[in-house]
Amino acid sequence: MLLAAAVAAGLRTPWPLLGAGGALLAGLVVVARRGWTPRGTFGRANGVTILRAGLLAGLPPAADLGAAPLIGLCLLFLGADGLDGWLARRADQTSEFGAFLDKETDALFLLLLCAVAAFQNRLPLWILGAGLLRYVFVVVVFLLDPPEKTEERSNLARYLYGGMVTALLLSFLPYPAVYRPLVIVAAGALAVSFGRSLWWIVPRGQAFGEPDGRGGA
């Protein structure tokens, strides 16, 4: 995704990000096919998440049509966000795969929204960094290989994510004096949240690639 972001920034189009992100989601579905749900089926909840991911292909053309179509599509994406989790809990089909697929879909949505805002010159190019935080987090966790491979989901993280998305959506309205400070604050808070997650996941004093010392002989 980092390479796709560089290509997207050079071409000033979000399509490389959409292609790379879609490929990652498809790869996740294939690799984790044995653990889709406790029953082994794909499940309606995961199907809803895939439908949400499909909506992301409409972000670039919706942005070209104007603020109203883009914001409407984003609200549809966000409105369906709680549906997949509700379906999984209702059918007792919650799984690690479903939670990870949901997080990666949300991460791709945020990155695409950052890219569209940047490439339409509504926000500076640095906003791509906010969209890439999740992917940088995954790379760092992979390199450090801590005992816990994922962060705990918290209400604070959800609020910060929602605040970031709200600030980005406001950037498509003609009020830069309002949305620019909000975007800066939201991006900073999101960066602190990811840093905090790394602080709790990675054992103190562990170097890159160094075992955590809590495994067997």
Side-chain angles (χ1 to χ4, degrees), residues 167-191:
L168 288 169
L169 290 179
L170 288 175
S171 72
F172 293 94
L173 301 178
Y175 308 110
V178 174
Y179 68 69
R180 284 176 181 167
L182 291 177
V183 167
I184 292 173
V185 171
L190 199 63

Side-chain angles (χ1 to χ4, degrees), residues 92-214:
D92 195 23
Q93 291 287 286
T94 57
S95 65
E96 184 178 353
F97 164 78
F100 196 72
L101 180 66
D102 185 64
K103 284 191 289 187
E104 296 311 309
T105 300
D106 288 342
L108 181 57
F109 169 65
L110 182 65
L111 177 56
L112 288 172
L113 203 54
C114 290
V116 170
F119 300 154
Q120 288 194 355
N121 296 316
R122 297 178 182 275
L123 292 171
L125 197 59
W126 63 258
I127 195 62
L128 280 176
L132 288 168
L133 282 171
R134 168 68 185 173
Y135 300 97
V136 172
F137 176 88
V138 171
V139 170
V140 172
V141 168
F142 173 78
L143 292 174
L144 292 177
D145 192 27
E148 295 293 333
K149 299 297 189 294
T150 184
E151 75 282 11
E152 291 186 6
R153 304 198 79 170
S154 66
N155 288 331
L156 176 60
R158 293 186 183 95
Y159 296 148
L160 292 176
Y161 177 85
M164 186 73 239
V165 169
T166 300
L168 288 169
L169 290 179
L170 288 175
S171 72
F172 293 94
L173 301 178
Y175 308 110
V178 174
Y179 68 69
R180 284 176 181 167
L182 291 177
V183 167
I184 292 173
V185 171
L190 199 63
V192 170
S193 176
F194 275 106
R196 177 177 175 272
S197 294
L198 278 177
W199 175 260
W200 287 108
I201 288 175
V202 178
R204 307 301 170 266
Q206 180 181 341
F208 278 82
E210 178 183 328
D212 72 335
R214 284 180 274 182

Side-chain angles (χ1 to χ4, degrees), residues 23-68:
L24 284 176
L25 291 177
L28 175 62
V29 169
V30 172
V31 170
R33 61 188 179 276
R34 296 183 182 275
W36 286 340
T37 63
R39 297 175 188 170
T41 60
F42 193 69
R44 288 181 296 174
N46 292 329
V48 170
T49 306
I50 291 297
L51 289 176
R52 290 176 61 234
L55 290 176
L56 299 181
L59 282 183
D64 291 338
L65 293 175

Side-chain angles (χ1 to χ4, degrees), residues 52 73-82 106 109 161 165 169:
R52 290 176 61 234
L73 182 61
C74 290
L75 291 178
L76 177 61
F77 176 90
L78 294 170
D81 190 15
D106 288 342
F109 169 65
Y161 177 85
V165 169
L169 290 179

